[in-house]
Amino acid sequence: MAISNDTGPGTGRTSGDGAGRVLVVDDDPTVSEVVTGYPERAGFTVHRAGDGPAALESAARHRPDLVVLDLMLPGTDGLEVCRRLRAGGNGRPPVPVVMLTARGDEDDRILGLEVGADDYVTKPFSPRELVLRVRSVLRRSPSTASVDEPLLVVAGLAVDVAFRRATRDGSELALTLREFDLLVYFLRHPGQVCDRERLMREVWGWEHGDLSTVTVHVRRLRSKIEHDPADPQLIRTVRGAGYRFEPAPRPPGGTPGAVRAEEGRA
């Protein structure tokens, strides 16, 4: 069983902090039991599935707020399950996914992020870390945002922070939770050079982590907001320093390079 022996603070039920339904998908019964136990003690309602088809069936039936998904599953593997979960359906937003993997290879982690996983935990892992990451992702939901937050409008993008909706030239963007948070961060810091360490800290909330996670998410975000992702004009790479968000020039009378906040809502 590839789980670290970590039973420190943070694994018990916390009053008022347990709202959420989690689906745990792992074909190892021992790992599944442990992975399930810690979120349950933290106050989450947890369902389990042992393979891909069972995971998709359970997700459709229980509508979890988050899925903890093992990469290595019999039959339909975790990557394909993630793709199908990310497709959403019936007008509902895609369910967030935290990928579990025993593989240490960076390519596998990147592939999981490329298909839409919001975060990942590599085995062996600390159950407390898993609970913290689950909570971190679940906090980024429409119910936790203030409806008084303004719309952010720039360069054909319109981002409703409170309701976590983003459009490009009027068409809604299918963004993962992390992609959305990254876009909001760039919009709120136009013209600033942000290195990957800063983005990991400010967007993911982690002091340390695999910086390739940031690289993958920037690439995915560019593919959705840039007219030509191969020649990005909004999220520019500053060689050796990081990334800079450069809004398109505004019409005469506007403030060049500024992000406009609109207080009203229709």
Side-chain angles (χ1 to χ4, degrees):
M1 178 175 65
I3 299 177
S4 298
N5 182 21
D6 185 342
T7 56
T11 56
R13 177 184 288 273
T14 302
S15 176
D17 195 31
R21 297 183 302 276
V22 176
L23 172 61
V24 174
V25 186
D26 198 303
D27 63 321
D28 185 324
T30 305
V31 173
S32 180
E33 182 177 352
V34 174
V35 172
T36 298
Y38 278 83
E40 282 180 336
R41 288 194 287 278
F44 297 100
T45 298
V46 184
H47 298 278
R48 285 195 281 178
D51 56 38
L56 295 170
E57 179 183 356
S58 181
R61 182 169 65 252
H62 299 295
R63 297 185 183 182
D65 299 300
L66 181 140
V67 177
V68 178
L69 177 63
D70 188 28
L71 179 64
M72 299 297 292
L73 294 173
T76 306
D77 66 19
L79 293 175
E80 180 59 27
V81 172
C82 185
R83 288 189 187 97
R84 297 186 189 182
L85 290 173
R86 290 302 311 166
N90 299 324
R92 297 192 304 272
V95 62
V97 174
V98 174
M99 192 78 78
L100 269 182
T101 174
R103 297 182 178 182
D105 188 78
E106 181 180 356
D107 291 341
D108 293 311
R109 298 197 300 273
I110 289 176
L111 190 55
L113 296 171
E114 289 282 13
V115 299
D118 295 278
D119 210 338
Y120 69 89
V121 178
T122 303
K123 301 177 184 176
F125 62 89
S126 156
R128 184 167 70 97
E129 177 191 3
L130 176 61
V131 170
L132 290 174
R133 294 211 178 201
V134 166
R135 284 177 172 161
S136 174
V137 173
L138 285 177
R139 286 192 192 102
R140 292 166 165 82
S141 66
S143 61
T144 61
S146 168
V147 295
D148 294 327
E149 290 192 70
L151 296 177
L152 301 176
V153 182
V154 63
L157 296 167
V159 179
D160 188 325
V161 179
F163 293 95
R164 301 189 68 86
R165 295 181 67 249
T167 60
R168 170 79 178 183
D169 299 329
S171 298
E172 188 157 0
L173 298 171
L175 302 178
T176 68
L177 293 179
R178 297 297 191 188
E179 290 166 1
F180 185 92
D181 293 338
L182 187 59
L183 175 58
V184 170
Y185 191 83
F186 279 132
L187 289 174
R188 286 176 169 167
H189 299 84
Q192 296 184 21
V193 177
C194 304
D195 61 30
R196 295 189 299 170
E197 289 84 356
R198 172 179 170 180
L199 293 172
M200 175 68 73
R201 183 174 59 255
E202 299 293 335
V203 178
W204 276 259
W206 299 101
E207 290 294 333
H208 306 284
D210 183 354
L211 295 180
S212 65
T213 299
V214 177
T215 305
V216 171
H217 278 78
V218 169
R219 182 165 64 244
R220 285 180 55 86
L221 183 57
R222 280 172 167 164
S223 74
K224 297 176 181 182
I225 71 170
E226 298 278 2
H227 288 299
D228 181 5
D231 183 25
Q233 300 300 306
L234 294 174
I235 303 176
R236 306 296 295 269
T237 297
V238 181
R239 193 172 300 277
Y243 305 100
R244 182 174 57 234
F245 185 79
E246 296 185 352
R250 292 204 168 275
T255 302
V259 176
R260 184 173 73 253
E262 297 185 352
E263 299 294 346
R265 281 193 171 81

